[in-house]
mmCIF file of all heavy atoms in Angstrom:
data_model
loop_
_atom_site.group_PDB
_atom_site.id
_atom_site.type_symbol
_atom_site.label_atom_id
_atom_site.label_comp_id
_atom_site.label_asym_id
_atom_site.label_seq_id
_atom_site.Cartn_x
_atom_site.Cartn_y
_atom_site.Cartn_z
ATOM 1 N N LEU A 1 31.864 -58.916 8.590
ATOM 2 C CA LEU A 1 31.825 -58.243 9.891
ATOM 3 C C LEU A 1 32.145 -56.766 9.748
ATOM 4 O O LEU A 1 31.510 -55.900 10.368
ATOM 5 C CB LEU A 1 32.826 -58.905 10.844
ATOM 6 C CG LEU A 1 32.482 -60.342 11.266
ATOM 7 C CD1 LEU A 1 33.626 -60.930 12.089
ATOM 8 C CD2 LEU A 1 31.194 -60.353 12.058
ATOM 9 N N VAL A 2 33.102 -56.445 8.933
ATOM 10 C CA VAL A 2 33.485 -55.039 8.720
ATOM 11 C C VAL A 2 32.320 -54.289 8.090
ATOM 12 O O VAL A 2 31.977 -53.173 8.497
ATOM 13 C CB VAL A 2 34.741 -54.952 7.827
ATOM 14 C CG1 VAL A 2 35.020 -53.506 7.445
ATOM 15 C CG2 VAL A 2 35.937 -55.557 8.551
ATOM 16 N N ALA A 3 31.706 -54.906 7.085
ATOM 17 C CA ALA A 3 30.577 -54.241 6.413
ATOM 18 C C ALA A 3 29.436 -53.988 7.393
ATOM 19 O O ALA A 3 28.799 -52.929 7.390
ATOM 20 C CB ALA A 3 30.086 -55.104 5.244
ATOM 21 N N GLY A 4 29.168 -54.938 8.262
ATOM 22 C CA GLY A 4 28.096 -54.753 9.254
ATOM 23 C C GLY A 4 28.400 -53.621 10.200
ATOM 24 O O GLY A 4 27.505 -52.858 10.587
ATOM 25 N N PHE A 5 29.658 -53.483 10.614
ATOM 26 C CA PHE A 5 30.033 -52.408 11.539
ATOM 27 C C PHE A 5 29.858 -51.048 10.887
ATOM 28 O O PHE A 5 29.399 -50.081 11.521
ATOM 29 C CB PHE A 5 31.491 -52.618 11.980
ATOM 30 C CG PHE A 5 31.963 -51.589 12.973
ATOM 31 C CD1 PHE A 5 31.485 -51.599 14.271
ATOM 32 C CD2 PHE A 5 32.870 -50.605 12.600
ATOM 33 C CE1 PHE A 5 31.904 -50.659 15.185
ATOM 34 C CE2 PHE A 5 33.285 -49.672 13.515
ATOM 35 C CZ PHE A 5 32.816 -49.683 14.822
ATOM 36 N N VAL A 6 30.180 -50.941 9.601
ATOM 37 C CA VAL A 6 30.009 -49.675 8.872
ATOM 38 C C VAL A 6 28.530 -49.299 8.818
ATOM 39 O O VAL A 6 28.151 -48.144 9.035
ATOM 40 C CB VAL A 6 30.598 -49.802 7.444
ATOM 41 C CG1 VAL A 6 30.222 -48.577 6.617
ATOM 42 C CG2 VAL A 6 32.117 -49.956 7.508
ATOM 43 N N VAL A 7 27.663 -50.278 8.535
ATOM 44 C CA VAL A 7 26.223 -50.005 8.497
ATOM 45 C C VAL A 7 25.738 -49.495 9.851
ATOM 46 O O VAL A 7 24.941 -48.565 9.957
ATOM 47 C CB VAL A 7 25.453 -51.271 8.088
ATOM 48 C CG1 VAL A 7 23.950 -51.070 8.296
ATOM 49 C CG2 VAL A 7 25.741 -51.633 6.640
ATOM 50 N N PHE A 8 26.243 -50.106 10.936
ATOM 51 C CA PHE A 8 25.853 -49.679 12.292
ATOM 52 C C PHE A 8 26.225 -48.225 12.533
ATOM 53 O O PHE A 8 25.434 -47.440 13.089
ATOM 54 C CB PHE A 8 26.547 -50.588 13.318
ATOM 55 C CG PHE A 8 26.440 -50.084 14.734
ATOM 56 C CD1 PHE A 8 25.253 -50.236 15.436
ATOM 57 C CD2 PHE A 8 27.499 -49.426 15.349
ATOM 58 C CE1 PHE A 8 25.120 -49.762 16.724
ATOM 59 C CE2 PHE A 8 27.363 -48.957 16.642
ATOM 60 C CZ PHE A 8 26.194 -49.122 17.341
ATOM 61 N N LEU A 9 27.413 -47.801 12.121
ATOM 62 C CA LEU A 9 27.837 -46.418 12.323
ATOM 63 C C LEU A 9 26.955 -45.449 11.545
ATOM 64 O O LEU A 9 26.605 -44.368 12.034
ATOM 65 C CB LEU A 9 29.298 -46.257 11.895
ATOM 66 C CG LEU A 9 30.358 -46.940 12.790
ATOM 67 C CD1 LEU A 9 31.751 -46.736 12.218
ATOM 68 C CD2 LEU A 9 30.281 -46.377 14.212
ATOM 69 N N VAL A 10 26.578 -45.846 10.328
ATOM 70 C CA VAL A 10 25.734 -44.971 9.507
ATOM 71 C C VAL A 10 24.367 -44.774 10.172
ATOM 72 O O VAL A 10 23.843 -43.674 10.277
ATOM 73 C CB VAL A 10 25.571 -45.553 8.087
ATOM 74 C CG1 VAL A 10 24.508 -44.768 7.319
ATOM 75 C CG2 VAL A 10 26.906 -45.517 7.349
ATOM 76 N N VAL A 11 23.771 -45.866 10.649
ATOM 77 C CA VAL A 11 22.454 -45.790 11.299
ATOM 78 C C VAL A 11 22.532 -44.957 12.564
ATOM 79 O O VAL A 11 21.681 -44.109 12.843
ATOM 80 C CB VAL A 11 21.926 -47.200 11.617
ATOM 81 C CG1 VAL A 11 20.668 -47.113 12.483
ATOM 82 C CG2 VAL A 11 21.641 -47.964 10.333
ATOM 83 N N ALA A 12 23.575 -45.178 13.365
ATOM 84 C CA ALA A 12 23.726 -44.406 14.606
ATOM 85 C C ALA A 12 23.886 -42.931 14.310
ATOM 86 O O ALA A 12 23.318 -42.073 14.995
ATOM 87 C CB ALA A 12 24.942 -44.922 15.390
ATOM 88 N N GLY A 13 24.645 -42.613 13.275
ATOM 89 C CA GLY A 13 24.801 -41.205 12.907
ATOM 90 C C GLY A 13 23.486 -40.579 12.492
ATOM 91 O O GLY A 13 23.202 -39.423 12.802
ATOM 92 N N GLY A 14 22.661 -41.355 11.776
ATOM 93 C CA GLY A 14 21.349 -40.839 11.369
ATOM 94 C C GLY A 14 20.464 -40.539 12.561
ATOM 95 O O GLY A 14 19.749 -39.540 12.595
ATOM 96 N N LEU A 15 20.497 -41.383 13.550
ATOM 97 C CA LEU A 15 19.703 -41.163 14.760
ATOM 98 C C LEU A 15 20.144 -39.908 15.488
ATOM 99 O O LEU A 15 19.326 -39.143 16.006
ATOM 100 C CB LEU A 15 19.805 -42.370 15.689
ATOM 101 C CG LEU A 15 19.090 -43.643 15.224
ATOM 102 C CD1 LEU A 15 19.415 -44.801 16.155
ATOM 103 C CD2 LEU A 15 17.590 -43.417 15.155
ATOM 104 N N VAL A 16 21.428 -39.677 15.547
ATOM 105 C CA VAL A 16 21.936 -38.464 16.189
ATOM 106 C C VAL A 16 21.432 -37.235 15.452
ATOM 107 O O VAL A 16 21.013 -36.242 16.051
ATOM 108 C CB VAL A 16 23.472 -38.480 16.247
ATOM 109 C CG1 VAL A 16 24.015 -37.132 16.699
ATOM 110 C CG2 VAL A 16 23.947 -39.582 17.176
ATOM 111 N N ALA A 17 21.455 -37.294 14.121
ATOM 112 C CA ALA A 17 20.978 -36.155 13.328
ATOM 113 C C ALA A 17 19.503 -35.876 13.586
ATOM 114 O O ALA A 17 19.079 -34.729 13.723
ATOM 115 C CB ALA A 17 21.216 -36.437 11.836
ATOM 116 N N LEU A 18 18.719 -36.940 13.653
ATOM 117 C CA LEU A 18 17.297 -36.757 13.952
ATOM 118 C C LEU A 18 17.100 -36.149 15.329
ATOM 119 O O LEU A 18 16.247 -35.288 15.540
ATOM 120 C CB LEU A 18 16.565 -38.097 13.877
ATOM 121 C CG LEU A 18 16.330 -38.660 12.479
ATOM 122 C CD1 LEU A 18 15.793 -40.090 12.564
ATOM 123 C CD2 LEU A 18 15.353 -37.785 11.711
ATOM 124 N N ALA A 19 17.881 -36.613 16.284
ATOM 125 C CA ALA A 19 17.764 -36.086 17.649
ATOM 126 C C ALA A 19 18.081 -34.612 17.693
ATOM 127 O O ALA A 19 17.411 -33.830 18.362
ATOM 128 C CB ALA A 19 18.705 -36.860 18.583
ATOM 129 N N VAL A 20 19.104 -34.191 16.972
ATOM 130 C CA VAL A 20 19.471 -32.772 16.949
ATOM 131 C C VAL A 20 18.378 -31.956 16.282
ATOM 132 O O VAL A 20 17.973 -30.898 16.756
ATOM 133 C CB VAL A 20 20.826 -32.578 16.223
ATOM 134 C CG1 VAL A 20 21.100 -31.103 16.002
ATOM 135 C CG2 VAL A 20 21.939 -33.233 17.020
ATOM 136 N N ARG A 21 17.845 -32.464 15.164
ATOM 137 C CA ARG A 21 16.838 -31.711 14.405
ATOM 138 C C ARG A 21 15.552 -31.524 15.188
ATOM 139 O O ARG A 21 14.937 -30.471 15.180
ATOM 140 C CB ARG A 21 16.551 -32.442 13.100
ATOM 141 C CG ARG A 21 15.505 -31.713 12.249
ATOM 142 C CD ARG A 21 15.343 -32.358 10.911
ATOM 143 N NE ARG A 21 14.365 -31.626 10.122
ATOM 144 C CZ ARG A 21 14.034 -31.959 8.874
ATOM 145 N NH1 ARG A 21 14.626 -32.989 8.281
ATOM 146 N NH2 ARG A 21 13.127 -31.262 8.229
ATOM 147 N N TYR A 22 15.090 -32.569 15.908
ATOM 148 C CA TYR A 22 13.790 -32.523 16.584
ATOM 149 C C TYR A 22 13.894 -32.284 18.080
ATOM 150 O O TYR A 22 12.920 -32.399 18.804
ATOM 151 C CB TYR A 22 13.013 -33.823 16.330
ATOM 152 C CG TYR A 22 12.613 -33.967 14.888
ATOM 153 C CD1 TYR A 22 13.275 -34.829 14.035
ATOM 154 C CD2 TYR A 22 11.569 -33.191 14.385
ATOM 155 C CE1 TYR A 22 12.902 -34.938 12.708
ATOM 156 C CE2 TYR A 22 11.192 -33.303 13.059
ATOM 157 C CZ TYR A 22 11.853 -34.174 12.209
ATOM 158 O OH TYR A 22 11.487 -34.287 10.902
ATOM 159 N N GLY A 23 15.103 -31.917 18.541
ATOM 160 C CA GLY A 23 15.238 -31.497 19.924
ATOM 161 C C GLY A 23 15.252 -32.631 20.918
ATOM 162 O O GLY A 23 14.979 -32.423 22.094
ATOM 163 N N LEU A 24 15.527 -33.887 20.488
ATOM 164 C CA LEU A 24 15.553 -34.994 21.428
ATOM 165 C C LEU A 24 16.934 -35.064 22.072
ATOM 166 O O LEU A 24 17.953 -34.988 21.401
ATOM 167 C CB LEU A 24 15.260 -36.322 20.712
ATOM 168 C CG LEU A 24 13.919 -36.382 19.973
ATOM 169 C CD1 LEU A 24 13.803 -37.701 19.217
ATOM 170 C CD2 LEU A 24 12.794 -36.233 20.965
ATOM 171 N N PRO A 25 16.975 -35.205 23.420
ATOM 172 C CA PRO A 25 18.277 -35.269 24.085
ATOM 173 C C PRO A 25 19.019 -36.540 23.686
ATOM 174 O O PRO A 25 18.408 -37.563 23.385
ATOM 175 C CB PRO A 25 17.908 -35.266 25.566
ATOM 176 C CG PRO A 25 16.491 -35.740 25.622
ATOM 177 C CD PRO A 25 15.854 -35.302 24.360
ATOM 178 N N SER A 26 20.315 -36.455 23.703
ATOM 179 C CA SER A 26 21.145 -37.600 23.311
ATOM 180 C C SER A 26 22.002 -38.043 24.487
ATOM 181 O O SER A 26 22.464 -37.235 25.279
ATOM 182 C CB SER A 26 22.069 -37.232 22.143
ATOM 183 O OG SER A 26 21.282 -36.802 21.051
ATOM 184 N N THR A 27 22.193 -39.338 24.618
ATOM 185 C CA THR A 27 23.047 -39.886 25.677
ATOM 186 C C THR A 27 23.951 -40.949 25.074
ATOM 187 O O THR A 27 23.583 -41.631 24.115
ATOM 188 C CB THR A 27 22.210 -40.512 26.791
ATOM 189 O OG1 THR A 27 21.347 -41.506 26.228
ATOM 190 C CG2 THR A 27 21.329 -39.456 27.460
ATOM 191 N N SER A 28 25.104 -41.104 25.646
ATOM 192 C CA SER A 28 26.031 -42.142 25.184
ATOM 193 C C SER A 28 25.685 -43.455 25.854
ATOM 194 O O SER A 28 25.348 -43.492 27.034
ATOM 195 C CB SER A 28 27.473 -41.755 25.543
ATOM 196 O OG SER A 28 27.804 -40.559 24.879
ATOM 197 N N ASN A 29 25.810 -44.566 25.081
ATOM 198 C CA ASN A 29 25.538 -45.863 25.695
ATOM 199 C C ASN A 29 26.822 -46.434 26.278
ATOM 200 O O ASN A 29 27.897 -45.843 26.178
ATOM 201 C CB ASN A 29 24.900 -46.815 24.680
ATOM 202 C CG ASN A 29 25.805 -47.104 23.505
ATOM 203 O OD1 ASN A 29 27.022 -47.032 23.628
ATOM 204 N ND2 ASN A 29 25.196 -47.425 22.360
ATOM 205 N N ASP A 30 26.652 -47.569 26.947
ATOM 206 C CA ASP A 30 27.801 -48.144 27.659
ATOM 207 C C ASP A 30 28.915 -48.576 26.726
ATOM 208 O O ASP A 30 30.042 -48.802 27.164
ATOM 209 C CB ASP A 30 27.334 -49.366 28.472
ATOM 210 C CG ASP A 30 26.437 -48.940 29.604
ATOM 211 O OD1 ASP A 30 26.495 -47.749 29.977
ATOM 212 O OD2 ASP A 30 25.657 -49.783 30.104
ATOM 213 N N HIS A 31 28.632 -48.688 25.424
ATOM 214 C CA HIS A 31 29.647 -49.174 24.483
ATOM 215 C C HIS A 31 30.221 -48.058 23.644
ATOM 216 O O HIS A 31 30.863 -48.310 22.635
ATOM 217 C CB HIS A 31 29.035 -50.241 23.574
ATOM 218 C CG HIS A 31 28.480 -51.392 24.346
ATOM 219 N ND1 HIS A 31 29.273 -52.342 24.971
ATOM 220 C CD2 HIS A 31 27.186 -51.742 24.623
ATOM 221 C CE1 HIS A 31 28.514 -53.231 25.586
ATOM 222 N NE2 HIS A 31 27.230 -52.873 25.388
ATOM 223 N N GLY A 32 29.936 -46.816 24.044
ATOM 224 C CA GLY A 32 30.501 -45.701 23.304
ATOM 225 C C GLY A 32 29.629 -45.223 22.187
ATOM 226 O O GLY A 32 29.956 -44.244 21.526
ATOM 227 N N GLY A 33 28.481 -45.922 21.927
ATOM 228 C CA GLY A 33 27.565 -45.480 20.889
ATOM 229 C C GLY A 33 26.695 -44.330 21.395
ATOM 230 O O GLY A 33 26.675 -43.990 22.560
ATOM 231 N N VAL A 34 25.875 -43.712 20.523
ATOM 232 C CA VAL A 34 24.983 -42.601 20.857
ATOM 233 C C VAL A 34 23.555 -43.045 20.585
ATOM 234 O O VAL A 34 23.269 -43.519 19.491
ATOM 235 C CB VAL A 34 25.325 -41.351 20.027
ATOM 236 C CG1 VAL A 34 24.393 -40.211 20.403
ATOM 237 C CG2 VAL A 34 26.774 -40.951 20.259
ATOM 238 N N THR A 35 22.645 -42.894 21.592
ATOM 239 C CA THR A 35 21.258 -43.325 21.456
ATOM 240 C C THR A 35 20.327 -42.140 21.654
ATOM 241 O O THR A 35 20.477 -41.386 22.616
ATOM 242 C CB THR A 35 20.921 -44.404 22.508
ATOM 243 O OG1 THR A 35 21.856 -45.469 22.371
ATOM 244 C CG2 THR A 35 19.494 -44.915 22.321
ATOM 245 N N ALA A 36 19.335 -41.952 20.747
ATOM 246 C CA ALA A 36 18.342 -40.875 20.880
ATOM 247 C C ALA A 36 17.179 -41.386 21.727
ATOM 248 O O ALA A 36 16.769 -42.528 21.591
ATOM 249 C CB ALA A 36 17.829 -40.454 19.513
ATOM 250 N N THR A 37 16.614 -40.500 22.588
ATOM 251 C CA THR A 37 15.462 -40.865 23.429
ATOM 252 C C THR A 37 14.541 -39.668 23.577
ATOM 253 O O THR A 37 14.991 -38.532 23.633
ATOM 254 C CB THR A 37 15.934 -41.362 24.814
ATOM 255 O OG1 THR A 37 14.773 -41.589 25.599
ATOM 256 C CG2 THR A 37 16.785 -40.324 25.531
ATOM 257 N N ALA A 38 13.221 -39.946 23.648
ATOM 258 C CA ALA A 38 12.231 -38.877 23.819
ATOM 259 C C ALA A 38 11.521 -38.994 25.160
ATOM 260 O O ALA A 38 10.484 -38.412 25.366
ATOM 261 C CB ALA A 38 11.205 -38.924 22.700
ATOM 262 N N SER A 39 12.060 -39.775 26.072
ATOM 263 C CA SER A 39 11.378 -39.991 27.352
ATOM 264 C C SER A 39 11.415 -38.741 28.201
ATOM 265 O O SER A 39 12.483 -38.228 28.521
ATOM 266 C CB SER A 39 12.045 -41.150 28.106
ATOM 267 O OG SER A 39 11.495 -41.256 29.389
ATOM 268 N N PRO A 40 10.217 -38.215 28.624
ATOM 269 C CA PRO A 40 10.173 -37.025 29.455
ATOM 270 C C PRO A 40 10.254 -37.361 30.938
ATOM 271 O O PRO A 40 10.253 -36.478 31.772
ATOM 272 C CB PRO A 40 8.811 -36.423 29.120
ATOM 273 C CG PRO A 40 7.957 -37.597 28.815
ATOM 274 C CD PRO A 40 8.857 -38.610 28.204
ATOM 275 N N SER A 41 10.239 -38.648 31.280
ATOM 276 C CA SER A 41 10.158 -39.012 32.686
ATOM 277 C C SER A 41 11.481 -38.826 33.416
ATOM 278 O O SER A 41 11.512 -38.589 34.608
ATOM 279 C CB SER A 41 9.693 -40.465 32.810
ATOM 280 O OG SER A 41 10.597 -41.317 32.158
ATOM 281 N N SER A 42 12.569 -38.910 32.727
ATOM 282 C CA SER A 42 13.871 -38.768 33.380
ATOM 283 C C SER A 42 14.124 -37.308 33.722
ATOM 284 O O SER A 42 13.952 -36.418 32.914
ATOM 285 C CB SER A 42 14.970 -39.292 32.448
ATOM 286 O OG SER A 42 16.228 -39.000 33.006
ATOM 287 N N GLU A 43 14.504 -37.027 34.975
ATOM 288 C CA GLU A 43 14.714 -35.663 35.445
ATOM 289 C C GLU A 43 15.770 -34.945 34.625
ATOM 290 O O GLU A 43 15.685 -33.750 34.381
ATOM 291 C CB GLU A 43 15.118 -35.710 36.930
ATOM 292 C CG GLU A 43 15.067 -34.382 37.634
ATOM 293 C CD GLU A 43 13.657 -33.856 37.756
ATOM 294 O OE1 GLU A 43 12.728 -34.649 37.938
ATOM 295 O OE2 GLU A 43 13.476 -32.630 37.659
ATOM 296 N N SER A 44 16.773 -35.695 34.133
ATOM 297 C CA SER A 44 17.885 -35.057 33.424
ATOM 298 C C SER A 44 17.543 -34.691 31.993
ATOM 299 O O SER A 44 18.291 -33.974 31.352
ATOM 300 C CB SER A 44 19.095 -36.001 33.429
ATOM 301 O OG SER A 44 18.752 -37.199 32.756
#
């Protein structure tokens, strides 16, 4: 379980880096994680 949680943090960090590099806005999820999205439909 510990090993799986570490892998999750690494993947989430990679997504954040991609979002910063390519200009994709980032939002926090309900569990405290960070999710990258490219949806232009949201006003925010």
Side-chain angles (χ1 to χ4, degrees):
L1 292 174
V2 172
F5 182 71
V6 171
V7 170
F8 169 77
L9 290 178
V10 170
V11 171
L15 289 173
V16 171
L18 286 171
V20 171
R21 180 174 181 179
Y22 293 104
L24 302 175
S26 302
T27 56
S28 298
N29 62 27
D30 292 340
H31 302 287
V34 181
T35 305
T37 175
S39 173
S41 60
S42 173
E43 193 67 35
S44 61

